[in-house]
Amino acid sequence: MTLAVLTRESGWNTGLHPLVPAGAEVVEVPVTETLYVSDSDVRLAVERLGDPARYRWLVVTSVRAQRAVAAVGDLLSPALRTAVVGEATATALREIGRDPDVVGDAGSQALASAIDDGPVLFLGAAEPRAELADELGRRALALDSVAVYQTRGRALSDDERTVLERADVVFVAAPSAWRVLREYVTPSALLVVPGETTAHEIGRDHAVVVGFDDTTASRIARVLSGESNS
């Protein structure tokens, strides 16, 4: 029987279960944990950057930033436009009344082409990837980044490490997860990632299925059966 391991934090794997091929054994092994910056500290950090109403775009790349967006929403201009990565993030922002103007599916760099004015406010991880800043900088659009959460690896138990070593399929939701997983996942395991950013982090040492969508389960099944290489 195929063993599929879901590695998001506890409570965050619900949306991944339907992406596993029928008949597979599914085990959850959370490999990261998130530490959130308090709402008051997020507000203070944004206010210290200057008048928050001056921002023309807000960029959000993770569901984890939802609470921070809610915390500073009243400080921002009503005309502010919002760009997000992924439908999950878009849904999270709609839940707090902010409907994104742009929803990308290929990482923050891909959002930069839609951003036509600055300054830009990014609310996200303590160690964001540099692509967005590099691209906006190339176009002379100012970017302010505020760390609203930090994701760090968990210390795994012996049983959890054994499960990962036995896994046929491993869902890797972010580069931070891969930094924990790569020590335990065998070269023969098929890795499933949400987008090209995480795929790039993994490199070419594993077969990779890119994209969490309605076709994921069938694409996994094809690779496992030898019908496809990715």
Side-chain angles (χ1 to χ4, degrees), residues 56-184:
R56 294 294 173 260
W57 280 90
L58 170 68
V59 175
V60 181
T61 59
S62 172
V63 173
R64 291 171 174 81
Q66 180 200 51
R67 57 182 288 177
V69 175
V72 302
D74 64 307
L75 302 177
L76 305 174
S77 168
L80 181 78
R81 288 174 286 176
T82 304
V84 307
V85 173
E87 283 297 336
T89 307
T91 298
L93 264 60
R94 292 183 187 113
E95 290 174 353
I96 58 172
R98 183 170 292 277
D99 193 15
D101 298 274
V102 176
V103 180
D105 59 4
S108 58
Q109 184 178 15
L111 297 179
S113 61
I115 296 174
D116 56 2
D117 195 9
V120 179
L121 176 63
F122 171 78
L123 299 178
E127 298 179 359
R129 295 179 66 87
E131 290 94 338
L132 178 67
D134 290 347
E135 177 61 21
L136 294 181
R138 185 183 67 79
R139 295 164 52 203
L141 293 175
L143 172 68
D144 287 333
S145 296
V146 175
V148 301
Y149 68 88
Q150 180 180 17
T151 302
R152 65 182 184 185
R154 285 182 59 243
L156 303 182
S157 69
D158 290 343
D159 287 345
E160 289 172 325
R161 291 194 293 268
T162 297
V163 169
L164 290 170
E165 290 165 356
R166 293 178 43 237
D168 302 297
V169 179
V170 180
F171 282 73
V172 186
S176 56
W178 178 241
R179 289 191 283 272
V180 178
L181 289 165
R182 60 189 174 193
E183 182 178 349
Y184 308 109

